[in-house]
Amino acid sequence: MTSLPSCVRIREVGPRDGLQGESPVAVPDRVRLVSALAAAGLGEIEAVAFVSPRAVPAMAGAAEVLAGLDRDSGAVYVALVPNVRGAELALEAGAEALNVTISASREYSHRNVGQSIEESLAGLRSICALAAGRPVDATVSCAFGSPYEGDIEAGVVATVGARASEAGATSLTFADTTGMATPRRVEELVASVGSEIRLHFHETRGTGLVNAYAALQLGVTAFDTSIGGLGGSPFVAGAGGNLATEGLVHLLDDLGVTSGVSLERLLEAAALAQSLVKRVLPSPVAAAGPRSRLAPA
Ligand code: MG
């Protein structure tokens, strides 16, 4: 078998990227979900977004969610922030790390964020100054293509990433917002940006897990995933389905790659997530259980 990294870091995004598109879930239930994910061993959890509650009602109450979380759980709680005001609120509420999205697609940025890429980068610079040393991840969205412009050259995506680093981002995530990534395109991007990145995949076209496997073979050791495969992009038709956390952990366990995450505890968290959104989530491992689980005698 191809050589693989010995360990991988997973940032769980279900409580934010997952729940943002759902009917609002009550604050105490969001706290329960984040706590269950921390108990499963996830070291980084994107727990909240400090966005307009009018624009994204499901993310209202971000400060209350953060206030309800156990700060000794071992997990770092990340807040997504769209602008300087969001960053101020997040830092006041005790967010330990921030995530800021910059689109690699001019048209997507214009239509969905109401900003040019330049304006987003200027905002990122101000947010990094405000964060005063706390980690600020820049997530480059549409890194594998745009619904408006089609494929975006890996070199163009790499330039947006480099400019985000210059603006002060302490890490970079490249997101397949539109579900257009394939292993071949993962290889092209990693050849342009290097393997010291995080990748965020969607299962829109069923390639999320195979893209993660391709990235592992290229030496990438950090991934975003979402419990139960919750979420996707509310702005891209059919782009539902983040790569499921339990699907990646199930694969890593079998490959002997350490993630520090307990699959059994994750499946409990997936069951909780399903009960909170009141529907069956699209994760095959949550549905079938681990390959090692035998039928009852
Ligand atoms: Mg996503």
Side-chain angles (χ1 to χ4, degrees):
M1 192 180 281
T2 322
S3 78
L4 294 171
S6 58
C7 63
V8 154
R9 289 182 300 120
I10 297 176
R11 180 173 67 177
E12 166 65 43
V13 300
R16 197 285 300 172
D17 189 339
L19 291 185
Q20 73 177 4
E22 300 287 336
S23 299
V25 171
V27 165
D29 288 333
R30 285 157 66 194
V31 170
R32 275 169 66 210
L33 180 60
V34 175
S35 303
L37 293 162
L42 288 152
E44 270 182 282
I45 303 174
E46 193 172 81
V48 290
F50 283 84
V51 292
S52 156
R54 281 184 307 283
V56 191
M59 289 291 101
E64 289 79 1
V65 171
L66 284 181
L69 293 171
D70 173 13
R71 294 311 176 102
D72 298 321
S73 69
V76 170
Y77 303 121
V78 182
L80 181 83
V81 297
N83 49 36
V84 171
R85 182 64 190 138
E88 286 169 351
L89 293 171
L91 294 168
E92 277 169 27
E96 295 162 290
L98 304 180
N99 182 12
V100 180
T101 299
I102 310 284
S103 185
S105 156
R106 289 193 179 282
E107 193 60 25
Y108 184 92
S109 187
H110 177 66
R111 292 199 199 198
N112 299 128
V113 192
Q115 282 188 338
S116 67
I117 296 172
E118 291 305 317
E119 286 167 333
S120 294
L121 286 164
L124 173 64
R125 188 178 296 278
S126 302
I127 290 166
C128 290
L130 200 64
R134 286 190 192 75
V136 180
D137 182 63
T139 294
V140 179
S141 74
C142 298
F144 297 91
S146 154
Y148 310 110
E149 292 135 300
D151 292 332
I152 299 179
E153 255 182 69
V156 171
V157 178
T159 300
V160 174
R163 298 202 54 204
S165 295
E166 282 164 22
T170 54
S171 60
L172 294 177
T173 300
F174 292 90
D176 183 20
T177 314
T178 53
M180 291 164 72
T182 63
R184 166 195 151 188
R185 290 165 199 281
V186 170
E187 193 168 347
E188 285 172 2
L189 184 67
V190 172
S192 277
V193 300
S195 59
E196 299 289 304
I197 56 168
R198 184 189 288 110
L199 289 168
H200 176 122
F201 290 123
H202 286 183
E203 290 287 15
T204 314
R205 295 180 176 82
T207 54
L209 193 56
V210 76
N211 288 334
Y213 185 58
L216 280 171
Q217 291 178 314
L218 297 165
V220 175
T221 59
F223 295 91
D224 275 353
T225 60
S226 178
I227 191 70
L230 259 177
S233 171
F235 301 118
V236 181
N242 286 300
L243 175 60
T245 309
E246 59 275 28
L248 181 61
V249 169
H250 183 252
L251 177 69
L252 294 173
D253 282 357
D254 191 55
L255 293 169
V257 177
T258 303
S259 66
V261 182
S262 155
L263 183 56
E264 285 300 329
R265 303 294 290 272
L266 266 189
L267 292 172
E268 292 167 20
L272 173 59
Q274 296 203 131
S275 74
L276 295 180
V277 300
K278 302 183 181 70
R279 64 187 172 86
V280 176
L281 292 172
S283 156
V285 173
R291 62 185 293 284
S292 57
R293 183 179 290 171
L294 304 178

